[in-house]
Amino acid sequence: INAIYIIFLTLLVQFGVTQIKAVEASSFFLFEIVVAAISSYLLVGETIAIKEWLGGIMIIVGVILAAQN
């Protein structure tokens, strides 16, 4: 049954992406990486190196700058 949820949610995300601008869609998918890294840190204690934190900060800044335009 989990596979059905995954397929449904993937289709829902793909539909949603077609409804927004390409810049917004790419920002959304980049931000997903940051959320996954922070989730793995908080949920399972994954270690995150300094350059990974810096990369995440750069993605967040980029998303904010893209949102302003």
Side-chain angles (χ1 to χ4, degrees):
I1 189 110
N2 287 337
I4 294 170
Y5 289 133
I6 291 171
I7 291 169
F8 174 72
L9 292 174
T10 301
L11 291 173
L12 194 62
V13 167
Q14 294 301 319
F15 173 75
V17 168
T18 64
Q19 305 301 309
I20 59 177
K21 297 177 188 172
V23 172
E24 294 170 348
S26 62
S27 299
F28 171 76
F29 285 118
L30 284 174
F31 194 67
E32 183 180 9
I33 297 168
V34 176
V35 171
I38 293 171
S39 296
S40 68
Y41 173 76
L42 295 174
L43 295 174
V44 295
E46 185 78 24
T47 57
I48 301 176
I50 295 294
K51 60 182 170 180
E52 292 167 338
W53 281 111
L54 292 174
I57 291 168
M58 289 191 306
I59 289 173
I60 291 169
V61 169
V63 168
I64 291 169
L65 291 174
Q68 290 177 352
N69 291 333

